[in-house]
Amino acid sequence: MKRFAAGFALFGECLTAGLLVLLAALPVVTLVPALAAGCAHIKAHVDGETTSVRAFFERVRVALPGGWAVSLGVVVGFAVLVVDVVFLRTRVAGGGFVAVVCGVAAVGVAVVVLRVAALWAPGTRWPSVLRDASRRSAADFTGSLLLVMSLAVLLIVTWQLPPLVVPMLGCVLMAAVAVDRRHLTVAHQPQPR
């Protein structure tokens, strides 16, 4: 019964984090800081720290310097990929192949953004977080694949029932935190000789 209560509490925090991230990301330039604060919110719950709404928005405020530029880059990158897909699929011969390449690139960017959000902590600098997240995305293929699967579940579930975007976003953030912690655990295991 205790495990059920702990799991239900974690799901409740995922629901709260999803809702708060959606609210904080509305200005668009706060997208990555909101995702980072959402991951920090879930980490805080797992570690037994403060998970109040005030603490969440304080994390967003701390992540905003420098984070707005990352958000702007991410939004512009996704916009370019979407425009390429729409334009190339309808107007260029062989555009279907390029559209698939753009789709794969968009998934890759989304994985790196989730890794960035999970790696960020108050006091870290965005350029170093971006570098580390990019390296981990390439080096930890299994973790990146897990994040792709969580994004696929998010898309399928919200396509079928759009209001579920709130809890599903929280679950994707939880997956990003779990993949980050998994990477740290695997990295610190002794290697067989």
Side-chain angles (χ1 to χ4, degrees), residues 33-185:
L35 291 170
C39 285
H41 182 85
I42 291 173
K43 285 181 197 175
H45 172 75
V46 171
D47 295 338
E49 299 170 6
T50 303
T51 58
S52 67
V53 173
R54 180 177 291 175
F56 172 84
F57 283 107
E58 178 61 24
R59 290 180 186 109
V60 172
R61 188 192 63 75
V62 170
L64 203 52
W68 67 268
V70 176
S71 295
L72 201 56
V74 167
V75 170
V76 167
F78 277 123
V80 166
L81 289 171
V82 168
V83 168
D84 282 352
V85 167
V86 169
F87 179 74
L88 292 173
R89 279 187 63 211
T90 58
R91 306 214 172 144
V92 176
F97 174 74
V98 177
V100 169
V101 170
C102 288
V104 170
V107 169
V109 169
V111 166
V112 171
V113 167
L114 285 173
R115 292 235 183 206
V116 164
L119 273 173
W120 178 86
T124 55
R125 298 180 46 81
W126 284 106
S128 64
V129 172
L130 282 166
R131 259 191 318 276
D132 291 346
S134 298
R135 284 187 196 128
R136 283 189 188 184
S137 296
D140 181 19
F141 179 75
T142 304
S144 296
L145 188 59
L146 289 170
L147 291 176
V148 169
M149 288 189 294
S150 73
L151 289 168
V153 171
L154 169 77
L155 290 174
I156 291 167
V157 169
T158 56
W159 168 66
Q160 293 176 346
L161 197 57
L164 288 180
V165 71
V166 173
M168 288 309 302
L169 178 58
C171 290
V172 168
L173 294 174
M174 181 179 63
V177 170
V179 165
D180 183 52
R181 296 220 169 161
R182 177 193 155 278
H183 175 78
L184 294 175
T185 303

